[in-house]
Amino acid sequence: MALKWKSKILLAKLETTYNTDAEPTAAANGILATDITLTPMEGSDVSRNLEIPTLGAQGSVPIDVHAKLTFNVELAGSGAAGTAPAWGPLMRGCAVAETITADTSVTYNPVSDDHESLSVYFLIEGTQFVLTGARGNCTIDFTTSAIPYLKFEYWGLFNQPSEETRVNPTLTAFKKPLAVTKANTPTFTLAGVSLVMRSLMLNLGNAVEPRFLVGSEGILITDKEESVETKVEAVPLGTLNPFTMAADQTDVAINLVHGLTPGNIATLAITKAQMQRPQGLENAQNIVEWPLRLVPIPTVGNDQWSLTLT
């Protein structure tokens, strides 16, 4: 029987002990995602390089085998202020802390140590792929006239796939998103200046390293270097001059608010981002736009950015 490509189920749960299967369940750990892709056996093949009397291919030995899973999740709140969204564990697996203030807010920010990990189950028809010890990277994407997304890349230790009974995940905790529009995204400022924005993307810039040694195998986040890319309508240089800012290594604040009702408002705040050299001008509907690049800089540490849901 042919396996249907669209028949996918994704489950993810935080691990208590690294690389010990957290056994996510359909009832509690279902993930509502789009554009799922799986590379089930990343790694290398080492040729045996045997000296034999005839010409021919050599056998090889697979090493450092691990899996990679990419997918997108719609960025929407939980519907209740102070209640973590269903995608919270996915952010936490990307070297991000989650801070809950009851009945008020949920805040995400980067952390340098004690990174959490996930066990991820991916089923297509009845074939189940399991990633344990999984850690990853995320890009937060606000693009005009589109759904805002959290774009995840996860790497995990390899486990042999198996045939399992299909489950029916509960996905009601994932709320419907609002498109990025003038009405739904009431605030976007750069250096305190309100600008007309086409898009903004924050890449968490995690260096995710599969590490395989005798006595230790794991997926580590060894560094991070966040970056921001945004496209805005150009303005007179007296209003905002990104060229002078780049030359002077100026740090600026970025603030974006998306959503309208309590429980569904997301605020992305970057308090200090260094303007990079503008790479050119763009023509969009015969309007000049600036593609701008910025690098978030820590002030006291682990404060390069925050995503707050209220």
Side-chain angles (χ1 to χ4, degrees), residues 11-67:
L11 311 175
K13 184 179 179 181
L14 290 164
E15 295 176 341
T16 302
T17 302
Y18 183 74
N19 195 34
T20 297
D21 192 347
E23 300 181 351
T25 66
N29 308 116
I31 300 296
L32 184 60
T34 67
D35 297 329
I36 302 173
T37 62
L38 173 71
T39 308
M41 295 185 75
E42 284 205 335
S44 302
D45 297 300
V46 177
S47 175
R48 296 178 66 194
N49 285 329
L50 300 174
E51 301 288 356
I52 57 176
T54 60
L55 301 179
Q58 296 285 324
S60 62
V61 178
I63 62 168
D64 300 347
V65 178
H66 57 285

Side-chain angles (χ1 to χ4, degrees), residues 78-93:
S78 66
T83 298
W87 44 261
L90 300 174
M91 289 296 286
R92 291 168 64 178

Side-chain angles (χ1 to χ4, degrees), residues 13-23 65-66 115-120 130-135 155-159 211-212 215-220:
K13 184 179 179 181
L14 290 164
E15 295 176 341
T16 302
T17 302
Y18 183 74
N19 195 34
T20 297
D21 192 347
E23 300 181 351
V65 178
H66 57 285
H115 299 152
E116 297 182 274
S117 61
L118 297 175
S119 294
V120 182
V130 175
L131 286 71
T132 52
R135 293 183 171 122
W155 290 260
L157 297 177
F158 174 75
N159 298 267
R211 185 169 168 85
F212 295 89
S216 178
E217 293 185 348
I219 308 296
L220 306 180

Side-chain angles (χ1 to χ4, degrees), residues 173-220:
F174 288 85
K175 305 305 180 183
K176 293 180 180 179
L178 293 174
V180 180
T181 65
K182 180 178 182 293
N184 295 334
T185 315
T187 301
F188 175 72
T189 62
L190 192 155
V193 178
S194 295
L195 296 173
V196 175
M197 182 200 78
R198 177 177 295 277
S199 63
L200 180 139
M201 289 187 288
L202 169 64
N203 186 334
L204 303 193
N206 291 339
V208 184
E209 299 287 349
R211 185 169 168 85
F212 295 89
L213 299 173
V214 174
S216 178
E217 293 185 348
I219 308 296
L220 306 180

Side-chain angles (χ1 to χ4, degrees), residues 110-190:
V111 291
S112 298
D113 300 302
D114 301 322
H115 299 152
E116 297 182 274
S117 61
L118 297 175
S119 294
V120 182
Y121 290 7
F122 173 57
L123 290 89
I124 185 160
E125 285 286 1
T127 304
Q128 178 172 278
F129 299 87
V130 175
L131 286 71
T132 52
R135 293 183 171 122
N137 186 50
C138 179
T139 297
I140 303 172
D141 185 350
F142 292 95
T143 297
T144 300
S145 301
I147 294 169
Y149 281 111
L150 301 166
K151 298 184 174 182
F152 292 102
E153 298 176 282
Y154 263 92
W155 290 260
L157 297 177
F158 174 75
N159 298 267
Q160 281 290 348
S162 60
E163 291 299 311
E164 303 291 342
T165 302
R166 285 176 58 78
V167 293
N168 187 20
T170 300
L171 300 171
T172 53
F174 288 85
K175 305 305 180 183
K176 293 180 180 179
L178 293 174
V180 180
T181 65
K182 180 178 182 293
N184 295 334
T185 315
T187 301
F188 175 72
T189 62
L190 192 155

